[in-house]
Amino acid sequence: MPPTLPDFSSSVKLKYVKLGYQYLVNHILTLTLIPVMAGILVEVLRLGPKEIVNLWNSLHFDLVQILCSSFLIIFIATVYFMSKPRSIYLVDYACYKPPVTCRVPFATFMEHSRLILSNNPKSVEFQMRILERSGLGEETCLPPAIHYIPPTPTMEAARGEAEIVIFSAMDSLFKKTGLKPKDIDILIVNCSLFSPTPSLSAMVINKYKLRSNIKSFNLSGMGCSAGLISIDLARDLLQVHPNSNAVVVSTEIITPNYYKGNERAMLLPNCLFRMGGAAILLSNRRSERWRAKYRLVHVVRTHKGADDKAYRCVFEEEDKEGKVGISLSKDLMAIAGEALKSNITTIGPLVLPASEQLLFLLTLIGRKIFNPKWKPYIPDFKQAFEHFCIHAGGRAVIDELQKNLQLSAEHVEASRMALHRFGNTSSSSLWYEMSYIEAKGRMKRGDRIWQIAFGSGFKCNSAVWKCNRTIKTPTDGPWADCIDRYPVHIPEVVKL
């Protein structure tokens, strides 16, 4: 047999070829200007002193021209700085850590399920299979009312859960930042499934005796992506209200939404959703720039509600027995993929380096003109971000995004560990993930963070942050007593 040709793909360092291409395209302007500037400098050095003096004397300066030019420069600079959006800083944030008395180990969860659904063993078995593959750990927590047999989801119990979660997060935020209640100008509270009267934002105002002229908002029914919607709303308000502080509270109240029926599509949330909440302080004050942790760069929102399947894929309704629950459609992952694709199409040009955009454009042109069967080029978002905070909605969500975005295990580590330790805490999950990265000491000055969240409707929202300073490993927070144990190995199936 004739000798085979060498495998050039393994012998040639293709990684360095790609790095060279990226450096060339991303710095093309600099690489072009350097030779031009060098040529100009050489020509100037060739001139003698007399020639330089003659050249200077040949220039005629008129006082009127100087004044007009100066006025024009000042006018352009003033218009530029006046029209430039205000920088929005994330000063700090705090996550609620449930007490150990609220822990729900697998054995406890399954025992309660057998007692509550004693007439339907198939539903119990279904929940066990979901829990085995969920990616949750033994330390996730449910509110006290759900620990009763049967659960007691009263209005009083729901308000009690809201108070302990929100007030604890707010107290931690005040302690970490030194913020006083009277210094809050804007308050936004988001909670999808519990919307009492008075609202949760009014509850916060009453507790901390906030100012009467505070601008308060209460968002409900917007799903797990409502946290980033609140951030976007706070950003818009801070653009028109100078020298202001905004507090965003993201949570989900579990007590009134525990499903006690037998519909499998509605039993899924029981297995995944757990207690959690976060309070975030945003500010547009320049004085906060030096101590702020992050600066908000972009928020991109995508809504697929015009499509009927997308609208109904996460739907609150009654089952055949009249019991209310949240129904999750089988098409959820496919719809989430389409929403993510639309969101990436919008955010890509804002964050990707020129090298990735050029490759994407060339591939798109090639598919349109030459061969539609060409494999589409997936941009390398690792070139744009150092950290990824993917909504910990479930193991399948994290797996799908890791596969589609071609991320490494380390890139999705924060999401998997947050899901394992705290479960799906809805809109606040992103902040538990951010806190994990900080607790590991990985957040450095200049690092870029991409937060991605999905929500009912159906929505996919993204936020891009830039780290303002190297963050020291915190001594408090939700991970303080367990960060040394993480990351942990999470098997595909945990046999119960």
Side-chain angles (χ1 to χ4, degrees):
M1 294 290 292
T4 57
L5 291 173
D7 186 1
F8 291 104
S9 63
S10 60
S11 61
V12 178
K13 299 288 187 180
L14 291 179
K15 181 180 76 172
Y16 297 108
V17 173
K18 187 176 181 180
L19 288 173
Y21 160 77
Q22 291 169 351
Y23 187 85
L24 177 65
V25 175
N26 294 340
H27 299 86
I28 189 68
L29 187 60
T30 304
L31 296 174
T32 304
L33 288 176
I34 287 176
V36 175
M37 298 299 294
I40 294 172
L41 182 62
V42 169
E43 290 299 322
V44 170
L45 292 176
R46 284 180 180 178
L47 296 175
K50 290 183 179 180
E51 293 174 321
I52 294 175
V53 171
N54 291 334
L55 181 62
W56 177 261
N57 292 331
S58 65
L59 298 174
H60 298 285
F61 295 100
D62 183 77
L63 182 61
V64 176
Q65 291 178 343
I66 294 174
L67 290 175
C68 290
S69 300
S70 301
F71 175 77
L72 182 62
I73 292 171
I74 294 171
F75 176 75
I76 293 173
T78 302
V79 171
Y80 171 76
F81 285 109
M82 290 289 288
S83 60
K84 185 180 179 182
R86 290 187 176 93
S87 294
I88 308 300
Y89 299 103
L90 192 161
V91 180
D92 212 333
Y93 62 95
C95 297
Y96 168 69
K97 183 180 178 182
V100 293
T101 53
C102 292
R103 278 184 55 203
V104 186
F106 292 156
T108 303
F109 184 89
M110 291 312 306
E111 181 184 7
H112 281 222
S113 295
R114 291 188 186 98
L115 292 172
I116 295 168
L117 300 173
S118 57
N119 297 327
N120 197 328
K122 288 187 177 180
S123 295
V124 176
E125 185 182 348
F126 172 75
Q127 284 190 305
M128 185 173 70
R129 289 203 306 271
I130 294 299
L131 201 62
E132 288 176 338
R133 295 161 176 80
S134 64
L136 273 67
E138 297 275 9
E139 296 181 277
T140 61
C141 296
L142 284 171
I146 307 302
H147 287 255
Y148 286 92
I149 302 174
T152 56
T154 62
M155 175 62 75
E156 183 183 1
R159 284 188 183 275
E161 182 192 350
E163 289 173 358
I164 190 173
V165 172
I166 295 175
F167 295 164
S168 297
M170 290 286 289
D171 290 342
S172 298
L173 183 68
F174 289 143
K175 183 178 178 181
K176 292 174 76 171
T177 61
L179 181 73
K180 296 178 181 179
K182 66 178 182 179
D183 294 330
I184 300 175
D185 304 287
I186 299 165
L187 174 67
I188 303 171
V189 179
N190 69 265
C191 178
S192 292
L193 297 174
F194 181 57
S195 185
T197 300
S199 66
L200 295 178
S201 58
M203 183 183 77
V204 174
I205 293 170
N206 176 259
K207 165 69 175 178
Y208 295 101
K209 310 305 177 188
L210 303 184
R211 302 197 319 253
S212 59
N213 64 341
I214 190 170
K215 297 165 184 64
S216 66
F217 301 85
N218 196 95
L219 306 183
S220 64
M222 305 197 80
C224 300
S225 66
L228 295 186
I229 295 174
S230 298
I231 294 293
D232 189 36
L233 175 58
R235 180 191 63 171
D236 291 344
L237 291 167
L238 288 171
Q239 289 299 330
V240 296
H241 296 287
N243 202 36
S244 298
N245 291 321
V247 170
V248 173
V249 179
S250 295
T251 187
E252 191 58 77
I253 305 305
I254 307 296
T255 297
N257 303 297
Y258 188 84
Y259 177 65
K260 294 182 287 184
N262 297 311
E263 287 290 333
R264 293 190 176 187
M266 295 181 175
L267 285 169
L268 278 169
N270 288 359
C271 302
L272 299 175
F273 283 88
R274 296 293 185 266
M275 285 180 80
I280 305 100
L281 172 59
L282 302 174
S283 180
N284 58 13
R285 295 181 178 179
R286 292 186 178 181
S287 59
E288 298 287 7
R289 175 183 178 183
W290 307 109
R291 70 162 181 156
K293 284 186 173 182
Y294 306 97
R295 179 174 61 86
L296 183 59
V297 183
H298 301 292
V299 178
V300 174
R301 294 167 56 180
T302 303
H303 205 307
K304 290 289 185 178
D307 179 73
D308 291 341
K309 282 188 176 181
Y311 173 69
R312 294 190 64 90
C313 71
V314 181
F315 207 78
E316 185 176 18
E317 59 186 349
E318 295 173 331
D319 64 9
K320 296 176 182 177
E321 299 175 359
K323 296 177 181 177
V324 178
I326 307 297
S327 176
L328 303 182
S329 168
K330 293 180 180 179
D331 300 324
L332 178 59
M333 292 310 303
I335 292 166
E338 288 298 318
L340 176 66
K341 190 187 299 182
S342 300
N343 194 268
I344 284 176
T345 304
T346 305
I347 202 171
L350 300 175
V351 298
L352 286 171
S355 58
E356 290 299 310
Q357 295 195 46
L358 181 60
L359 279 175
F360 180 78
L361 178 63
L362 293 176
T363 307
L364 184 64
I365 293 172
R367 294 183 70 204
K368 292 290 185 181
I369 298 177
F370 300 108
N371 188 355
K373 295 183 179 179
W374 277 8
K375 187 178 179 181
Y377 178 71
I378 300 175
D380 185 5
F381 280 92
K382 298 186 289 293
Q383 298 293 326
F385 304 105
E386 283 73 33
H387 307 288
F388 296 80
C389 294
I390 300 167
H391 167 54
R395 188 177 201 150
V397 175
I398 301 171
D399 288 345
E400 196 67 21
L401 263 73
Q402 180 181 4
K403 178 184 174 182
N404 288 341
L405 298 178
Q406 299 177 350
L407 303 179
S408 67
E410 185 176 351
H411 286 125
V412 297
E413 180 184 312
S415 301
R416 292 195 189 280
M417 297 307 112
L419 179 65
H420 180 271
R421 174 61 184 83
F422 297 101
N424 181 353
T425 57
S426 191
S427 57
S428 64
S429 66
L430 299 174
W431 303 106
Y432 287 93
E433 295 164 23
M434 190 96 92
S435 182
Y436 178 88
I437 298 169
E438 292 180 6
K440 280 294 182 182
R442 299 173 183 171
M443 198 68 77
K444 309 298 181 185
R445 176 185 171 92
D447 283 0
R448 297 155 297 177
I449 307 97
W450 186 13
Q451 292 181 323
I452 314 169
F454 300 93
S456 58
F458 188 84
K459 299 178 284 292
C460 175
N461 299 325
S462 293
V464 178
W465 303 88
K466 189 168 185 179
C467 188
N468 216 32
R469 56 181 171 85
T470 299
I471 298 172
K472 297 179 181 178
T473 304
T475 56
D476 56 358
W479 297 94
D481 63 343
C482 62
I483 191 64
D484 294 336
R485 294 190 274 114
Y486 284 89
V488 297
H489 171 68
I490 304 174
E492 290 292 328
V493 179
V494 180
K495 283 297 179 182
L496 302 180

